[in-house]
Amino acid sequence: MTLEFIGMMQPREQSEIHPGRGAPIDAAYLRASAQAHDDGGFDRVLIGWFANGPDGLQIATHAAAHTSRVSFLVAHRPGFQAPTNAARSFATLEQLSGGRAAIHVISGGDDTDQRRDGDWIDKDARYARTDEYVGLLKRIWTERGPVDHQGIYYHVAGASTEMRSHSQPRIPIYFGGASDAAIEVAGRHADVYALWGETKAQVREIIARVRASATRHGREMRFSLSFRPILAETEAAAWSKAADILATVRRVRESAGLAAPKAAPNVGSQRLLEAAALGDRPEGRLYTAIAAATGARGNTTALVGTPEQVAEAFMEYYELGVSTFLIRGFDPLGDAVEYGRSLLPATRHLFARHAGGRGAAQ
């Protein structure tokens, strides 16, 4: 397996320690973020989906015009756009960017956010719709003739397949969701299954479940793990920095009048809180205190240490079957620059030694 690194691009400075201010899009910040990931050697950059945020495909198209190498992983919720239209939109991005496009399918785990876009169906129905939706995307991107489809949620006659993709066999599909229904759909459709940063025991368990689902459909799967690396020149300094970030998170939340975090609405968040229940530092470099402080309503677990120590932690997860690491910092732009300068080279160096040692052993 080869390593893949994914960052996350924001349209303005915003995180748990930087409350968003000003207009929703800061064009200069967006451009700087895209270029930092491009220059830093990231393979892809995630553009998230928020019901009150800018359109991800347009953000990606703008960023592609200011970069030359990094690819764009655009989050997409099935159900708010016809699958035929979404297929054309993503294929257009892929054409304009020279093949630098992928889709991150998120069926939706927060009912409140879903309803902002007028979606009132329950979770099981959302995954059934996603199954049909992604199946249609794949057909439109790969079949040579007009596509006909009669399903529960969509009825299509003669859908156009003129917009072909550079990628073979099609635009890559990443998939998020930890419920049983999500894992079943992922096994049928996804190229990469994405989960948040968990303990090694949790990662082993969910990888086994997803692989079993993929095997039932005659497919293979790659795995992505998300972390918020906290780096410093020494281990002690890194843990001190982590404590400072936690204190800032709590202060920002208090200033914003946010109540104590409630039980998370989705399975992925619940899994992070299960890890947090084991303690702030349940194993190795894994730090869960920020997830506990925020209700784990997103990728909020950290790996703490020097770049070399965090690289070693990545390799431990690689041994479990993880080949993609989605990393972003609490200081999004500054941390992206630092990851490109120190963490990515350290991990790739360690990976090359690891692969070379295996080759010698064989």
Side-chain angles (χ1 to χ4, degrees):
M1 295 186 295
T2 59
L3 282 182
E4 179 183 48
F5 287 100
I6 304 176
M8 185 170 183
M9 190 171 67
Q10 301 278 13
R12 65 178 178 181
E13 183 179 49
Q14 186 170 358
S15 77
E16 292 84 353
I17 65 172
H18 293 297
R21 295 184 177 90
I25 299 176
D26 180 337
Y29 184 89
L30 173 62
R31 187 163 55 250
S33 180
Q35 291 171 345
H37 288 90
D38 200 44
D39 295 340
F42 284 81
D43 298 288
R44 300 187 189 275
V45 58
L46 173 66
I47 299 170
W49 174 298
F50 306 97
N52 59 347
D55 180 76
L57 282 163
Q58 295 187 60
I59 292 290
T61 302
H62 177 76
H66 295 282
T67 55
S68 60
R69 194 195 62 81
V70 72
S71 295
F72 302 95
L73 177 59
V74 182
H76 185 77
R77 289 184 187 172
F80 304 120
Q81 186 178 8
T84 50
N85 184 259
R88 293 195 301 275
S89 296
F90 274 89
T92 300
L93 171 62
E94 212 225 15
Q95 292 284 339
L96 292 173
S97 65
R100 295 184 288 147
I103 183 172
H104 185 46
V105 177
I106 305 174
S107 296
D110 186 328
D111 288 342
T112 299
D113 206 46
Q114 294 292 117
R115 290 167 184 171
R116 291 188 180 110
D117 280 322
D119 188 35
W120 292 79
I121 66 175
D122 63 29
K123 184 171 71 172
D124 288 342
R126 286 202 294 263
Y127 280 110
R129 180 178 62 190
T130 294
D131 187 13
E132 188 174 337
Y133 190 101
V134 178
L136 259 172
L137 291 182
K138 292 166 70 175
R139 290 187 61 197
I140 293 168
W141 287 334
T142 59
E143 293 187 10
R144 294 295 173 184
V147 172
D148 296 331
H149 172 81
Q150 176 75 62
I152 297 174
Y153 297 95
Y154 303 102
H155 183 189
V156 172
S160 170
T161 58
E162 183 177 352
M163 290 296 297
R164 312 302 298 176
S165 66
H166 288 283
S167 304
Q168 293 299 319
R170 50 165 170 71
I171 293 171
I173 297 171
Y174 291 64
F175 197 95
S179 67
D180 290 341
I183 288 172
E184 182 60 24
V185 177
R188 186 177 294 114
H189 294 297
D191 301 305
V192 181
Y193 176 81
L195 59 152
W196 288 334
E198 301 180 346
T199 67
K200 295 181 181 66
Q202 287 176 306
V203 170
R204 288 190 194 95
E205 179 265 339
I206 200 164
I207 283 180
R209 289 168 57 202
V210 175
R211 277 182 173 157
S213 175
T215 298
R216 288 194 295 273
H217 298 287
R219 307 179 65 251
E220 295 183 352
M221 187 82 65
R222 291 186 292 125
F223 295 90
S224 171
L225 202 54
S226 298
F227 286 111
R228 310 288 287 274
I230 299 174
L231 308 178
E233 292 185 359
T234 68
E235 180 175 6
W239 284 111
S240 177
K241 183 178 178 180
D244 289 343
I245 290 172
L246 175 62
T248 303
V249 168
R250 288 172 170 163
R251 186 168 60 252
V252 167
R253 290 180 60 86
E254 182 178 354
S255 297
L258 294 176
K262 299 178 181 179
N266 61 76
V267 176
S269 293
Q270 291 165 8
R271 290 175 64 90
L272 291 193
L273 292 178
E274 288 172 8
L278 301 175
D280 290 352
R281 297 165 63 170
E283 62 178 19
R285 313 222 153 267
L286 186 63
Y287 184 56
T288 63
I290 298 169
T294 59
R297 293 178 178 270
N299 162 29
T300 42
T301 48
L303 291 176
V304 181
T306 67
E308 293 74 20
Q309 289 171 331
V310 173
E312 290 170 356
F314 282 159
M315 294 310 300
E316 292 173 0
Y317 283 104
Y318 177 84
E319 288 294 325
L320 301 181
V322 176
S323 59
T324 293
F325 294 95
L326 198 164
I327 54 175
R328 61 186 177 103
F330 293 97
D331 179 20
L333 179 53
D335 285 339
V337 172
E338 178 58 31
Y339 297 160
R341 186 190 69 82
S342 64
L343 181 56
L344 269 61
T347 308
R348 286 178 172 137
H349 176 72
L350 201 60
F351 177 73
R353 286 176 48 195
H354 175 88
R358 280 192 167 184
Q362 293 171 354

